[in-house]
């Protein structure tokens, strides 16, 4: 998914050097670069490539979105690279439109669980007064089924339809109801410790924002470990250790 040539995307110079010289650099980059680069404009993923959407053609937009379910892409699902990975053969599919907009009274925050590839992933959380930049994936029923299969439903996430979300899209449409993947472990590793994603735009944010590496350093110190790329590899390699870092489940 990532190559060593992507090393320049790491902004921490010391970390960049540690990863560059590591024999498992590609795995580390997959963890550290979450939630991955994404356009800040409407696009469609077509043949695993990005094509801009013409928001000025309302009829064409209506035709494209008809019959599709809007699903909030809180974390990596906003990224063409992640969508291309999830819908790679044999799961290759037709176009996936992704529209950008603003959602009120929510924020995009880190989950209180870790992924099998070493990242702290994202979820949405109510945050009165906050307006956050969001992407919406528009999925056909079979695409939604595939997306469910990639989201560890019943273990890390629940899928829910959120009413009255009021997402104002850049294209002029308003989404009143959307699907979302809600973290089962919530957003608190420890009481009161809730952190927003620093590369997601927001206004009137209530929670401190951190990068992925800052979050992994937090998790390492909370576990009594040294913040180092090898800590990330232990998360990847040791399932029991990884699960032991989760926050309190919120079933």
């Amino acid at each position: 998914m990532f190559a060593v040539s992507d090393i320049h995307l790491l902004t921490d110079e010391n970390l960049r050097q540690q990863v560059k010289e590591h024999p498992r650099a590609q795995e580390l980059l997959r963890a550290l670069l979450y939630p991955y680069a994404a356009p800040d404009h409407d696009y469609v993923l077509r043949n695993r490539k990005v094509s801009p959407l013409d928001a000025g053609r309302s009829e064409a937009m209506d035709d494209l979105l008809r019959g599709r379910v809007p699903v909030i892409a809180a974390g990596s699902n906003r990224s063409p690279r992640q969508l291309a990975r999830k819908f790679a053969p044999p799961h290759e599919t037709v176009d996936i439109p992704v529209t950008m907009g603003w959602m009120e009274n929510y924020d995009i925050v880190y989950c209180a669980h870790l992924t099998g590839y070493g990242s702290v992933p994202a979820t949405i959380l109510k945050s009165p007064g906050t307006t956050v930049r969001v992407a919406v994936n528009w999925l056909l029923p079979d695409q939604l089924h595939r997306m469910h299969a990639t989201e560890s439903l019943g273990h890390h996430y629940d899928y829910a339809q959120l009413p009255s979300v009021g997402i104002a899209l850049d294209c002029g449409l308003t989404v009143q109801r959307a699907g979302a993947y809600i973290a089962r472990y919530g957003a608190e590793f420890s009481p009161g410790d809730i952190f927003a994603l620093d590369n997601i735009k927001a206004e009137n944010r209530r929670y401190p924002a951190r990068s992925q590496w800052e979050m992994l350093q937090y998790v390492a110190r909370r576990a009594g470990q040294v913040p180092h790329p090898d800590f990330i590899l232990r998360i990847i390699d040791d399932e029991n250790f990884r699960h032991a870092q989760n926050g309190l489940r919120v079933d």
Side-chain angles (χ1 to χ4, degrees), residues 18-214:
Q18 290 176 328
V19 173
K20 182 179 180 180
E21 297 175 352
H22 204 288
R24 296 173 67 179
Q26 290 175 290
E27 292 175 83
L28 292 169
L29 286 170
R30 183 182 177 191
L32 288 162
L33 294 177
Y34 182 97
Y36 316 129
D40 192 36
H41 58 75
D42 299 345
Y43 71 91
V44 60
L45 189 71
R46 179 174 293 140
N47 298 324
R48 300 168 58 81
K49 295 182 179 179
V50 172
S51 298
L53 282 177
D54 183 358
R57 298 173 57 197
S58 58
E59 292 184 2
M61 182 70 78
D62 288 343
D63 288 342
L64 182 64
L65 303 184
R66 187 173 293 113
R68 295 174 179 269
V69 178
V71 180
I72 298 168
S76 63
N77 288 341
R78 58 198 273 277
S79 168
R81 185 174 293 200
Q82 181 75 311
L83 290 174
R85 186 190 69 83
K86 290 188 174 187
F87 291 93
H91 305 289
E92 196 165 13
T93 185
V94 295
D95 298 351
I96 300 177
V98 181
T99 55
M100 300 299 300
W102 294 91
M103 181 167 61
E104 295 184 348
N105 299 315
Y106 281 89
D107 204 350
I108 296 178
V109 300
Y110 287 101
C111 302
H113 74 264
L114 305 172
T115 69
Y117 52 89
S119 296
V120 187
T123 189
I124 64 169
L125 186 69
K126 288 186 177 179
S127 179
T130 300
T131 303
V132 67
R133 187 72 166 156
V134 294
V136 177
N137 298 147
W138 293 84
L139 305 178
L140 295 170
D142 60 331
Q143 294 172 330
L144 182 60
H145 180 75
R146 169 60 187 164
M147 188 67 83
H148 284 349
T150 71
E151 292 292 332
S152 192
L153 292 189
H155 180 54
H156 283 153
Y157 289 101
D158 291 317
Y159 178 76
Q161 282 285 329
L162 303 182
S164 304
V165 289
I167 301 173
L169 296 178
D170 294 354
C171 64
L173 300 176
T174 299
V175 177
Q176 296 293 356
R177 184 179 181 88
Y181 295 102
I182 309 298
R184 302 202 80 185
Y185 285 90
E188 293 179 278
F189 280 98
S190 296
D193 285 353
I194 300 175
F195 303 100
L197 279 73
D198 73 344
N199 55 356
I200 302 292
K201 298 177 185 176
E203 299 174 357
N204 300 319
R205 184 164 257 165
R206 302 175 63 190
Y207 307 113
R210 291 190 174 182
S211 68
Q212 179 66 215
W213 176 227
E214 288 170 336

